[in-house]
Amino acid sequence: MGSCLQVVQGRDHLHSDVASRNENAVKGEGFQLFKIYEDHSTIRPKPRSSHCAVLHGNVMLIFGGVYITSGGISRTFQVVWAYNMLSNQWKAIRSVKENAPAYTAASAVLPFDDHLFIYSGTKSMATASGKCMKFHFGSGLWEDITCTGQKPLEVFGHCLAYDQQSDKVYLFGGLTAEGSCLSQFYSLNLQTDHWERMMPSDNTPTRRFYHRVVQCEDCFYIVLGGSYTRLASSKSIFRFGYGSQEWSKHECIANDGLLPEPRRAPAIAYNSRYAIMCGGVVRGDGSAPFVDDVWRLDLPRPAFFSVANSDGQMCLEPSYATWTRLPVTLKVPTSNHTAVLTENNCLCIFGGIVQMHHRGLREYRTDNCYSIYVGVATLAEMAWRILCSYFPAVKSMSSQELRAIGVPLPYAAWVTTTLDLS
């Protein structure tokens, strides 16, 4: 930490190459909570919506999505991109085009150590693939997974969750190419590649698409989404327990008296402590308006927890999820975007459909990428942000160059990681 601060205080100690790259550096603004840190990289993924984003270590991975041309032609994307949120460096992970999926819009992705698991997707909302695939980081190869059992209907706009203990993937909801909104619920055993239909119960969530999932160690939650005619309320969320194999409904309360409007296609990101929800479209038919609000969702504790009553005796109280409106908004109202949230409270947002009337376009797809700290970061990460604000060139330096100017080895490696597994 001391080495980082020495770099900030001692510009004269930087070698001439670093100094020349920083001639136009402005006075640093330091670390700020809820400040938007924009990415201005020239090398980056193309504008898109309905893509997937997952966190893999300290790197955000972007996959799939769609871009609609002025002539109404849908273009989907097959390349996996890796983004280091600290150095603002993008890298396209090498991949073999052979067998690459074409239906990559509104698909769902799960990250594993050496590969991505992808299920289904669409190209133009008139078709859905229903395929299970793996993308291997090291080889860049795409692998078809041949599954048995009672397979789910082919959908897009669905959600996946993964239970590490049972090695099972869970699929919920989605929209068919014919326009049917579903509440289908299936599990896929990754040891046998066998699908199994999960029987509904009284607390199974209603049919929905473009909903979002929040994963925990022993369960997952289904949040928001809805059908064309009815959006799911933010007054409750649904939990599926891996151990109990049962759904439960949890009521939500507002920390400041306000609850989010019901919506489809928001971005929801989470770490081990809480989730963040932002943006989305608040009409069932998908028309305007989009929204730009940002909310924190604190998940329920176990179904009941012990508290002390007015007499000091312990009693059981029901557990609630809590929504809190944060004092920040997205750059512009956005839907069908993605976000990830690090353990250091850094929210990173990419892409989506935005509304900017002054440009003469009601809606268009964007490659906007920016980070917001929704909680206090570690001292090391704050120091890095301060260093970057005074000397922007350090973000493009190699690990060896960072070490040469005094950045400690763990941090020098951390901020230059781009998932170089090829």
Side-chain angles (χ1 to χ4, degrees), residues 307-330:
V307 296
N309 61 21
S310 57
D311 297 325
Q313 298 176 333
M314 300 304 293
C315 61
L316 293 178
E317 290 284 345
S319 176
Y320 299 98
T322 305
W323 289 105
T324 304
R325 177 77 183 263
L326 298 183
V328 65
T329 61
L330 302 180

Side-chain angles (χ1 to χ4, degrees), residues 132-353:
C132 289
M133 300 195 74
K134 289 181 181 179
F135 173 71
H136 296 274
F137 298 133
S139 64
L141 294 176
W142 290 95
E143 175 190 352
D144 269 319
I145 303 174
T146 302
C147 299
T148 59
Q150 187 176 0
K151 300 178 183 179
L153 294 177
E154 298 173 351
V155 291
F156 57 91
H158 51 290
C159 277
L160 297 179
Y162 174 66
D163 175 25
Q164 184 174 6
Q165 187 157 355
S166 66
D167 203 19
K168 287 184 178 180
V169 170
Y170 290 89
L171 159 72
F172 182 81
L175 188 72
T176 68
E178 295 74 29
S180 297
C181 184
L182 306 177
S183 60
Q184 65 173 354
F185 185 37
Y186 285 79
S187 67
L188 175 65
N189 188 318
L190 294 185
Q191 296 293 321
T192 62
D193 296 330
H194 184 84
W195 281 108
E196 178 184 353
R197 183 185 178 191
M198 307 294 289
M199 298 308 296
S201 65
D202 292 341
N203 288 317
T204 299
T206 55
R207 59 195 181 99
R208 62 190 71 193
F209 71 106
Y210 284 148
H211 49 293
R212 298 299 181 239
V213 67
V214 177
Q215 296 197 70
C216 301
E217 186 176 350
D218 60 349
C219 67
F220 67 87
Y221 291 88
I222 296 294
V223 184
L224 298 171
S227 67
Y228 282 121
T229 58
R230 184 177 182 181
L231 296 177
S233 172
S234 62
K235 294 180 180 179
S236 60
I237 59 176
F238 294 85
R239 177 187 186 274
F240 181 78
Y242 296 136
S244 66
Q245 293 287 287
E246 292 182 353
W247 287 101
S248 56
K249 183 178 180 180
H250 292 262
E251 299 302 317
C252 298
I253 58 176
N255 189 43
D256 53 5
L258 295 175
L259 288 171
E261 290 182 84
R263 65 194 69 191
R264 279 205 323 265
I268 289 188
Y270 53 89
N271 58 24
S272 62
R273 304 182 304 281
Y274 61 94
I276 297 291
M277 185 274 292
C278 57
V281 59
V282 294
R283 288 185 183 170
D285 60 5
S287 63
F290 295 175
V291 289
D292 61 3
D293 48 354
V294 181
W295 297 77
R296 172 171 170 149
L297 175 63
D298 289 289
L299 298 171
R301 286 173 278 188
F304 288 88
F305 61 96
S306 297
V307 296
N309 61 21
S310 57
D311 297 325
Q313 298 176 333
M314 300 304 293
C315 61
L316 293 178
E317 290 284 345
S319 176
Y320 299 98
T322 305
W323 289 105
T324 304
R325 177 77 183 263
L326 298 183
V328 65
T329 61
L330 302 180
K331 286 183 60 179
V332 289
T334 311
S335 76
N336 296 84
H337 52 306
T338 55
V340 297
L341 179 65
T342 70
E343 291 297 323
N344 287 340
N345 305 308
C346 182
L347 177 73
C348 187
I349 297 155
F350 175 77
I353 307 173

